[in-house]
Amino acid sequence: MSKILVIEDEATTRDMIADCLESEGFSVVEANNGRSGVEQAHIHQPDLVLCDIVLPKLDGYGVLSALRKDIVTATIPLIFLSAKNDRLAQRQGMALGADDYLSKPFTTVELVEAIAARLRSRNLLKQLYGAAKNVAEPNKKVPIPREQEPEALTKTPIPFQFPEHRQLQEIFAFVEENYPQSIGLNEIAKAFGYSPSYLTSLVRRLTGQTLYQWIVQRRMFQARHLLIETELTVHKVAEIVGYVDTGHFVKHFRKVHQQPPKTWRDAQRAGDPLESLS
C-alpha cells in the first residue's frame, strides 16, 4: 500500500483529499502546516507528498526546498496543489524540483491519475537505479542498454576522484557506472527524482561545478588514458567514453586541452611532458 503525505492547512480540503485517497486504497498521513509536513516526511517516509503552496509556518516552496536538501527525503515525489493557476507559480515550483502541479479545484480522477503516474515513474526509476548499483555483479545489466566495453577500457589504474560529499555520493557513483552510456543530466535527474535545474544547482552549490561539468571531466580523464595507452582511433575513444557524436567529443577535448585529440596524443608520444590524468 502506497503512503501519501497530504500537507494542507484547510481542514475541509485536507479531509476530502484524505478520504478520496483512502477510498482508492492509499495510506494517508496528514499535516496542517509546512513545518509539520517536513517533520512528517522524515518520520513516515511517504511514497509521495501532496502539498499546498500557501501554508502557515513554512510555505510549499519552503517544504520542497527542505525535502530536496536532505538525502533522506530528496527523492520523494512532490505534487503541488494550489489555487494559483498561473505559469509563474508553476515554473517556480518545477524549478525547485516539484514533480507535478495541480490547480484547485481538481477532480478525484485528476488527482489519482497524477499520483499514479508519479508512483509508476518512481518505481521504474528505482528499478533502473537498482540495476546500476549492481552492475558489477554477474549477469547484471546497466540501466541503459549498450554493447559493453571491456572493463580495462572504462577504468583506469588510478581512479577518477569525484568530490566527497555525503549528499552526492550515490549520484557520483551512478555517473561512474554509467558515463560510458552517453548518459546525460536529464537521465541522472530522473533516476534520483530531481528536476535537471535543481540537480544542476545542487551540485554547483556543493562542489563549485555543475554535474554536466563533472561528467565531461570524467570522460576526458578516461579519454586521455585511452589515447596514451592504446592505439584506438579517436572515433572509438569517443564512443567508449560516452559520446555518440565524435565531433562533439573533439569539441569538448579541444576546449579542455587546447588541442584536438590526435594532436594531443602525438605530442605526448613525441616526448612532451604528459598532461596530468587527474
Side-chain angles (χ1 to χ4, degrees):
M1 180 184 295
S2 296
K3 184 186 299 180
I4 311 296
L5 169 60
V6 180
I7 310 175
E8 167 64 64
D9 60 318
E10 294 183 4
T12 301
T13 303
R14 188 174 65 251
D15 291 343
M16 179 186 68
I17 293 173
D19 290 344
C20 167
L21 295 179
E22 288 172 349
S23 69
E24 294 290 333
F26 295 104
S27 171
V28 179
V29 177
E30 301 179 32
N32 60 9
N33 65 70
R35 189 174 302 165
S36 174
V38 173
E39 293 172 354
Q40 293 299 316
H42 280 269
I43 293 170
H44 295 281
Q45 290 291 290
D47 296 291
L48 183 141
V49 176
L50 296 174
C51 185
D52 194 9
I53 290 179
V54 181
L55 292 166
K57 298 187 178 181
L58 184 67
D59 67 13
Y61 300 130
V63 170
L64 177 58
S65 180
L67 296 181
R68 291 293 182 259
K69 287 178 181 178
D70 193 313
I71 194 169
V72 175
T73 57
T75 62
I76 299 175
L78 184 145
I79 299 176
F80 272 135
L81 310 174
S82 178
K84 291 184 175 181
N85 188 17
D86 64 81
R87 291 184 179 181
L88 180 60
Q90 293 183 28
R91 284 200 302 269
Q92 184 177 353
M94 301 305 281
L96 287 171
D99 295 270
D100 208 343
Y101 189 106
L102 285 178
S103 297
K104 299 176 182 177
F106 46 80
T107 67
T108 299
V109 172
E110 290 172 335
L111 177 62
V112 172
E113 286 184 349
I115 292 172
R118 289 300 136 197
L119 293 178
R120 283 196 300 269
S121 178
R122 190 188 193 210
N123 289 336
L124 175 59
L125 292 170
K126 277 185 175 181
Q127 293 173 14
L128 293 179
Y129 181 58
K133 289 181 70 176
N134 295 316
V135 68
E137 298 178 12
N139 301 321
K140 293 290 184 179
K141 296 181 179 179
V142 295
I144 301 176
R146 179 178 181 269
E147 181 181 352
Q148 296 298 293
E149 302 292 348
E151 184 173 327
L153 298 181
T154 58
K155 303 295 180 182
T156 53
I158 302 175
F160 182 80
Q161 295 297 315
F162 287 105
E164 294 185 3
H165 196 287
R166 182 175 63 88
Q167 193 170 354
L168 302 178
Q169 183 177 357
E170 290 189 350
I171 293 172
F172 284 136
F174 189 88
V175 172
E176 177 63 29
E177 294 295 348
N178 292 283
Y179 81 87
Q181 314 288 336
S182 73
I183 196 168
L185 174 63
N186 288 338
E187 290 84 358
I188 299 171
K190 288 180 180 178
F192 287 88
Y194 295 128
S195 70
S197 60
Y198 176 79
L199 183 57
T200 295
S201 176
L202 174 67
V203 176
R204 182 191 288 120
R205 175 168 57 82
L206 296 178
T207 71
Q209 298 188 73
T210 66
L211 183 59
Y212 179 73
Q213 289 172 319
W214 284 112
I215 295 171
V216 171
Q217 285 193 39
R218 179 63 184 96
R219 288 172 172 161
M220 292 300 105
F221 181 87
Q222 194 66 29
R224 292 193 296 267
H225 172 74
L226 294 175
L227 288 168
I228 292 172
E229 300 296 337
T230 75
E231 299 300 325
L232 295 170
T233 65
V234 170
H235 174 77
K236 186 62 177 176
V237 169
E239 180 183 325
I240 290 171
V241 301
Y243 286 89
V244 176
D245 181 0
T246 303
H248 193 200
F249 165 68
V250 172
K251 180 181 177 180
H252 275 176
F253 194 96
R254 186 193 293 270
K255 184 176 181 180
V256 173
H257 304 90
Q258 290 74 55
Q259 291 179 314
K262 187 177 185 305
T263 303
W264 184 88
R265 168 190 264 170
D266 291 343
Q268 307 312 307
R269 293 183 173 180
D272 286 356
L274 286 177
E275 185 173 322
S276 171
L277 296 185
S278 60

